[in-house]
Amino acid sequence: MMTRLRAAWLAGLLLAGVAFLAWAQIAVPELARRITDLTATLSAEQLAALENKLAAFEAEKGSQIAVLIVPTLAGEDIAAFGIRVAERWRIGRGKVDDGLILIVAKDDRQMRIEVGYGLEGAIPDAIAKRVIAEVIAPRFRDGDFYGGLDAGLTQLMRLIEGEALPPPAPGGAAPDDTVFGLLVMGGV
């Protein structure tokens, strides 16, 4: 009888722990623009410059890139958070799956690059880690967050440019095939 009680108590404790972890996850913000800075790290001018750079790249190549800067992940694994962001945002052209999300957890000093299957040839995990370690992180350590993002995005765009992808739809990406097109068409 005592063993059953102890087992039931441990099962209840385990269930409560799992429920707490699920509750403790930070919310994935809505996708409203290419650069989402929840830390107010970037100035309005810097946000606009990066936003314009990514919009021009998307118009030229078709691939979509988004950046998410959060203060902290509150203990959540950045890879798990990255998957949640990718599933929610669905960056990239539907059938091509050529989206990329750069995630920065500023106070945790963590970064991750999530790429769609269409870009895994151009940016495998090893290359993504090198871009973070060799291009972005050194500038971040110097306090130059804009410079790190700008240089990192430039390097990622160069890598994507070398990938054989379908061209963007004439006149830009088809609104029904892109998240950003849906945002524009939806009036957001």
Side-chain angles (χ1 to χ4, degrees):
M1 179 68 173
M2 191 61 122
T3 307
R4 283 187 183 168
L5 245 160
R6 182 175 286 152
W9 184 81
L10 286 174
L13 186 62
L14 179 64
L15 184 60
V18 169
F20 175 75
L21 287 176
W23 174 77
Q25 291 179 336
I26 66 166
V28 174
E30 292 296 323
L31 177 63
R33 51 187 353 180
R34 290 171 179 86
I35 308 290
T36 303
D37 180 6
L38 301 179
T39 63
T41 297
L42 302 173
S43 70
E45 294 81 19
Q46 292 170 334
L47 282 169
L50 292 174
E51 190 81 25
N52 291 337
K53 178 179 192 159
L54 296 180
F57 180 75
E58 181 181 340
E60 178 187 321
K61 186 68 178 175
S63 297
Q64 295 176 336
I65 300 175
V67 177
L68 173 59
I69 308 170
V70 297
T72 182
L73 297 175
E76 183 177 359
D77 177 66
I78 194 164
F81 180 71
I83 291 169
R84 289 194 309 117
V85 172
E87 288 173 351
R88 175 98 183 252
W89 284 9
R90 298 181 181 262
I91 298 295
R93 294 176 288 176
K95 294 178 180 117
V96 183
D97 199 12
D98 60 345
L100 180 148
I101 305 170
L102 171 59
I103 301 168
V104 178
K106 186 178 175 188
D107 297 344
D108 298 340
R109 297 180 178 206
Q110 293 183 22
M111 288 179 271
R112 181 164 177 88
I113 297 171
E114 292 289 340
V115 298
Y117 290 119
L119 294 179
E120 285 186 344
I123 308 171
D125 288 345
I127 298 296
K129 288 177 183 175
R130 285 188 65 191
V131 170
I132 289 170
E134 297 173 11
V135 179
I136 302 172
R139 288 173 175 86
F140 278 19
R141 280 192 290 276
D142 292 340
D144 183 11
F145 290 93
Y146 171 75
L149 290 172
D150 187 48
L153 291 170
T154 298
Q155 180 63 35
L156 292 167
M157 286 186 236
R158 284 187 192 133
L159 293 166
I160 294 169
E161 285 171 351
E163 190 71 2
L165 295 168
D176 63 340
D177 199 27
T178 68
V179 172
F180 295 119
L182 288 172
L183 291 173
V184 171
M185 296 300 292
V188 174

